Structures are given as structure tokens and as C-alpha cells.
Amino acid sequence: MRKKIVAGNWKMNLNLQEGVALATELKAALAADKPNCDVVICTPFIHLATVAGITEGTVIGLGAENCADKEKGAYTGEVSAAQVKSTGAQYVILGHSERRAYYGETPEILKEKVNLALANGLKVIFCIGEVLEEREAGKQNEVVGGQLADSLFDLTDEQFANIILAYEPVWAIGTGKTATAEQAQDMHEFIRGVIAGRFGEAAAENVSILYGGSCKPSNAKEIFSKPDVDGGLIGGAALKCADFKGIIDAWKD
Ligand code: PEP
């Protein structure tokens, strides 16, 4: 059975003290009211080791928002997958549209990052999604299928078992404009088909596919009710405990 997951992406928000306060509040909220899904928070690098001390032994998983495409060495300012792992984190987000658009992350670079993350025992939350012009031109399946093929199709079945996919239509990220539940379902079904074609039906059935893009407590239940939507990758609404918890609770009856 594939996992239901709600993952937060803090992006470049919250200083260390604010991050510690949010993780502590979330830990208390989820201890008082157990979630029906896996919960992950992905934080800036500088928060990881401290937040790991808060989330350890709880239901909350911890991830980074990126890692380097090099193993180690003279790459000033970069953070390697091994370094992420050594903080106690278990996940890393890769391929986020902001990294692709603002930092020139190409499919080749992402391939390196995915390989290094998996080699270091991290689970990868791999983001894919089309921009508005591509959707308006009806090219969303072609774009998303290409992103999957370009960065993930060389993985072995064993490696692919540690991939979580996040479909994030770029036009819905941080814009307040959510894809409809039907648009999300159509794309998730398509993605599952692409995965079945490369890795087989069992892998497609087992891979969790999260939706991301202006997901909030008020729309999460409807989106999560779709058969191929296994949860969400949450940006803005992950920065307030009550909002993030509201989305986690969307998995409850
Ligand atoms: C994201 O950036 O991964 C995201 C989904 O952001 P938001 O929820 O703010 O649209």
C-alpha cells in the first residue's frame, strides 16, 4: 500500500528560533492528535540538525529542500547529500520548480542529485510540473512525462522505491490559484501510467504522488479525496502550525 504523506516545504522562511518554535508546536499538536498520514517537514539546511533533535522519536519526518550535485570537496556554500543525512534528516526535496527556474537546475544536474541523495540513504521528494503557457498549450502531459523520463528513468527498481513524486503545476505555486481536484487527478493518473510503463504496475501502485500548489485546509480534503492523490507538498500553509495541521487532518474522516 502506498503511503499518504503531507510534507511541508518551508523554503527560505523562518529564522532558526522561529523554525524551532514551529517544529515544537507541531510536535505537540501531533502528539495530542495522531495523524492518519506520514508527516514530513523540509527546512532550510541551517535548521536541520536542531530540528532533528525535536522531531526524533516523533511521527514527524525531516527533510532538506535541496542538496548538492557533487559528492564533496571544494564547492563553497554547497551542502552534500551526506551532510544532509548526517543531521538526522531522512528526506530531500529535489527538482522544485524554484530550483529549476532560478538556479538553472537541468535534468542532468537533477539526475546527479537524485543519485547522490539515494546513495546516502535519503528518500527523494521529486517535483515535476508544467508552467502556465505549457498548460494553456495543452502540453502538460508531454512536459511532466519528459521531466520524469529525463531525471528518473535511469534508476533501478530498488532506487525508485525511495522516490516520492510531487506534482506541482508551477502556475499554482504560491499564487493562491489551486488546480482543481479533477486537474490534479488527471495528471496524477497520467504520472502513474508513465511510471507503470517504465517501472511496472507494482511500482506505479506503490509510489506516493503528492499534489502541491496553494493547498490549504479549505481545499485539501477535496484534492486528497481523488484516487491517485496521496497527499500534498505544502509551501505557504506549512508555515503556520494550525494551517499545516488542518491539511494533515484532511486525511481524517
Ligand atoms: C511549493 O512550493 O512546494 C508549494 C506547494 O507552495 P505553495 O503551497 O505555497 O503554493
Side-chain angles (χ1 to χ4, degrees):
M1 265 294 274
R2 57 186 183 250
K3 288 185 167 170
K4 300 171 186 151
I5 303 168
V6 173
N9 173 14
W10 290 3
K11 309 194 185 188
M12 198 172 72
N13 294 299
L14 308 177
N15 66 26
L16 180 59
Q17 291 73 29
E18 291 164 342
V20 164
L22 177 56
T24 305
E25 194 185 354
L26 185 65
K27 174 179 169 171
L30 297 182
D33 184 19
K34 266 190 90 195
N36 276 358
C37 61
D38 284 10
V39 175
V40 180
I41 51 177
C42 297
T43 80
F45 292 129
I46 63 134
H47 296 58
L48 287 173
T50 314
V51 171
I54 299 165
T55 56
E56 200 185 346
T58 75
V59 295
I60 307 170
L62 179 64
E65 301 169 14
N66 181 29
C67 71
D69 62 337
K70 303 286 191 301
E71 196 180 336
K72 63 175 177 175
Y75 300 102
T76 302
E78 287 293 294
V79 177
S80 72
Q83 289 171 326
V84 168
K85 179 71 178 174
S86 74
T87 66
Q90 309 95 36
Y91 297 84
V92 62
I93 296 173
L94 293 175
H96 193 281
S97 60
E98 289 154 14
R99 300 289 322 168
R100 292 180 193 256
Y102 309 148
Y103 299 96
E105 295 200 354
T106 61
E108 293 69 37
I109 291 172
L110 290 172
K111 241 166 120 165
E112 294 301 319
K113 292 188 177 202
V114 168
N115 277 326
L116 286 163
L118 294 174
N120 283 283
L122 293 168
K123 289 185 194 301
V124 173
I125 302 174
F126 192 78
C127 303
I128 49 197
E130 80 286 356
V131 299
L132 187 60
E133 301 78 67
E134 291 163 339
R135 169 142 307 248
E136 284 176 347
K139 290 191 169 153
Q140 64 271 19
N141 289 6
E142 191 186 313
V143 169
V144 168
Q147 289 170 335
L148 290 168
D150 287 349
S151 296
L152 301 182
F153 273 21
D154 286 346
L155 296 179
T156 64
D157 292 356
E158 213 173 34
Q159 285 176 311
F160 186 75
N162 288 305
I163 300 285
I164 295 156
L165 297 172
Y167 169 57
E168 301 204 303
V170 180
W171 46 271
I173 296 178
T175 58
K177 207 173 174 187
T178 319
T180 63
E182 287 69 32
Q183 284 173 321
Q185 169 56 25
D186 284 353
M187 181 55 85
H188 284 221
E189 192 179 353
F190 168 75
I191 291 169
R192 219 176 281 289
V194 171
I195 298 305
R198 166 60 186 88
F199 293 99
E201 289 292 341
E205 204 36 57
N206 286 334
V207 67
S208 296
I209 310 177
L210 315 184
Y211 168 79
S214 298
C215 193
K216 29 186 191 277
S218 58
N219 59 24
K221 209 175 184 94
E222 194 192 347
I223 297 171
F224 294 177
S225 71
K226 296 296 176 188
D228 286 299
V229 178
D230 305 309
L233 180 56
I234 318 299
L239 297 173
K240 286 212 173 88
C241 183
D243 288 346
F244 194 52
K245 172 79 164 46
I247 296 172
I248 292 166
D249 287 348
W251 281 118
K252 296 195 171 171
D253 294 329

